[in-house]
Amino acid sequence: MADVAWRKPKENSIAALEYGMEHADGVEMDLRLTAEGEVVIHHDPRTPSGKYPERYGYDDLKQEVALFDDLLDSSGFVDRWVNEARFVCLELKAPHPSSGAGGGWLRGKRMHDHLSRLLESVRSRIEEIQVPVQSTVFYSFDPYITPVANSGSGKYRHARLMPKLRQWGNWSTQRAVASPSFVSTSVPRLLAKQRRLGAPMLPLALEYIHGWTRHIPLGTSVGLKGAALDRFNRIRRGHPVYVWPAPLELEPQLLDAGLSCISDSINPELENTDGSNRCMRPATMPEIEGVRQPWHEISGSERMRVISDWRKKWGWSTSLTELKSLTSESTMPWEVPRLIGHRGTGKNKGTL
């Protein structure tokens, strides 16, 4: 019988998130709050039929979006998140101003309250299933993420996505509006801002570290090769960095630099572009004596040998004692570079 070709699931679907969680080191997903207070998984401001999720209840949306509670009913997904050291990036999405939710175009306190309800709903659910603190992060492009998370994220941590992308306009418009912030904010400044926020990681656009665009921001430029990479490593001192997009041809280079990849290529049929074998679980399937083994199945001493080797290779500033306190069969230190499935197995063509 001929092998059946792999078919990519719809982005942010239960199938995509389950697959990404099984075959990669974790997943990223986008969360929105419906008019009836349900948390749904959807990226764009509108559904394919043109509905703003924040204007409707889930019953009116269920043909187009997934329900977060349904994902948490998936035992395989939850078990990997809670017990096998997989990582999940939870992006909280602000509503489109024309939806009328969150104060519409006026925003203000109503937007703060909207994001607060969304975060509280998600936090309470992941607390119920006992997701480890270092196995998830909240983030958002909306600047209200900081006051909202500081007051309502409990033990979980957050980061802010920068430069800010608005919820309105197409991709080109969003990028054009964000351009002044991109120009004025170098990677060292981004890192400094995230550290002041107490963020456990830096979400970083690829344009900051690759290609001619890395020279645009005012200030010190960094990169993935030679002196530019050395500068980057000195500046970040092991601070975790999650890069998107992480194209397949750059994936080995990014991971070898100690950077996490948010990938649109969670496809088991793909190899590295040089033809070498690709590992989609570089963190949770570390190589021990030439054999890749599941993180949750190796011994405590083996885990610490791996962590010690990684710390030395990438110059982490965190002490071994602290790293040990963050390491168990179900958890990994923040610094570990991972391969994360963007929206599960990758974004759909034609979405923002």
Side-chain angles (χ1 to χ4, degrees):
M1 181 177 176
D3 291 338
V4 177
W6 183 77
R7 296 186 64 182
K8 180 179 177 180
K10 174 188 172 185
E11 68 171 47
N12 276 324
S13 64
I14 302 295
L17 294 163
E18 287 178 328
Y19 191 92
M21 200 66 152
E22 178 180 0
H23 294 280
D25 290 320
V27 294
E28 183 267 1
M29 69 183 80
D30 307 282
L31 303 177
R32 293 183 177 274
L33 190 69
T34 72
E36 296 182 2
E38 303 117 327
V39 178
V40 295
I41 311 170
H42 185 69
H43 179 271
D44 287 6
R46 296 175 183 257
T47 67
S49 68
K51 294 175 181 175
Y52 294 115
E54 293 82 5
R55 276 188 180 176
Y56 297 86
Y58 176 66
D59 282 347
D60 296 314
L61 300 166
K62 60 186 177 184
Q63 300 302 318
E64 301 183 275
V65 304
L67 190 66
F68 187 59
D69 278 350
D70 286 348
L71 179 64
L72 299 189
D73 286 338
S74 168
S75 59
F77 184 94
V78 170
D79 186 58
R80 293 182 178 97
W81 196 2
V82 174
N83 298 316
E84 297 184 9
R86 301 299 211 282
F87 192 85
V88 177
C89 301
L90 299 167
E91 182 174 348
L92 305 184
K93 305 297 286 188
H96 191 287
S98 294
S99 71
W105 292 94
L106 298 177
R107 292 173 49 85
K109 185 177 184 300
R110 289 177 62 189
M111 179 61 78
H112 177 283
D113 292 347
H114 179 92
L115 287 176
S116 182
R117 290 194 302 273
L118 173 56
L119 185 143
E120 170 61 24
S121 295
V122 177
R123 180 191 60 77
S124 63
R125 291 294 285 115
I126 66 175
E127 278 186 347
E128 287 175 14
I129 61 174
Q130 300 182 332
V131 171
V133 172
Q134 63 262 39
S135 292
T136 199
V137 66
F138 290 102
Y139 54 44
S140 177
F141 280 109
D142 197 286
Y144 277 123
I145 182 63
T146 299
V148 164
N150 284 342
S151 62
S153 63
K155 61 185 179 180
Y156 296 104
R157 300 176 69 182
H158 76 283
R160 182 178 162 192
L161 299 172
M162 294 182 278
K164 179 183 177 182
L165 294 180
R166 271 61 175 178
Q167 284 294 301
W168 46 268
N170 59 27
W171 181 241
S172 297
T173 300
Q174 290 178 349
R175 289 171 68 89
V177 173
S179 292
S181 179
F182 178 75
V183 171
S184 63
T185 311
S186 63
V187 170
R189 291 190 66 189
L190 282 174
L191 270 167
K193 286 183 178 182
Q194 296 290 359
R195 285 179 169 135
R196 285 197 298 271
L197 291 174
M201 45 85 86
L202 169 66
L204 190 68
L206 179 66
E207 289 86 349
Y208 276 106
I209 56 174
H210 178 69
W212 63 270
T213 54
R214 70 185 182 88
H215 298 291
I216 293 177
L218 300 175
T220 303
S221 64
V222 298
L224 296 174
K225 297 179 181 178
L229 178 58
D230 291 340
R231 283 197 301 273
F232 193 16
N233 287 333
R234 285 196 302 271
I235 291 165
R236 70 186 189 94
R237 303 191 307 276
H239 191 87
V241 174
Y242 282 61
V243 178
W244 183 84
L248 187 63
E249 63 270 19
L250 290 179
E251 188 179 291
Q253 189 176 1
L254 290 164
L255 291 170
D256 192 56
L259 309 176
S260 290
C261 299
I262 299 181
S263 172
D264 286 308
S265 303
I266 305 301
N267 179 340
E269 298 176 350
L270 295 177
E271 296 180 330
N272 291 324
T273 53
D274 64 1
S276 61
N277 290 332
R278 180 189 186 213
C279 176
M280 293 198 297
R281 290 177 54 191
T284 55
M285 285 282 286
E287 189 172 309
I288 300 174
E289 297 181 356
V291 179
R292 290 200 174 272
Q293 301 181 45
W295 179 260
H296 64 286
E297 293 181 3
I298 62 178
S299 68
S301 59
E302 287 173 324
R303 279 192 286 270
M304 284 313 300
R305 279 199 296 272
V306 170
I307 291 298
S308 180
D309 289 345
W310 286 344
R311 178 178 183 267
K312 182 178 180 180
K313 177 178 180 179
W314 290 307
W316 299 348
S317 60
T318 308
S319 69
L320 271 177
T321 300
E322 186 174 350
L323 291 171
K324 185 176 182 178
S325 72
L326 298 171
T327 301
S328 71
E329 64 183 17
S330 59
T331 58
M332 308 183 89
W334 292 99
E335 289 86 346
V336 175
R338 314 169 198 245
L339 183 62
I340 301 294
H342 186 219
R343 307 181 198 175
T345 55
K347 70 189 292 287
N348 288 358
K349 185 177 181 180
T351 56
L352 293 175

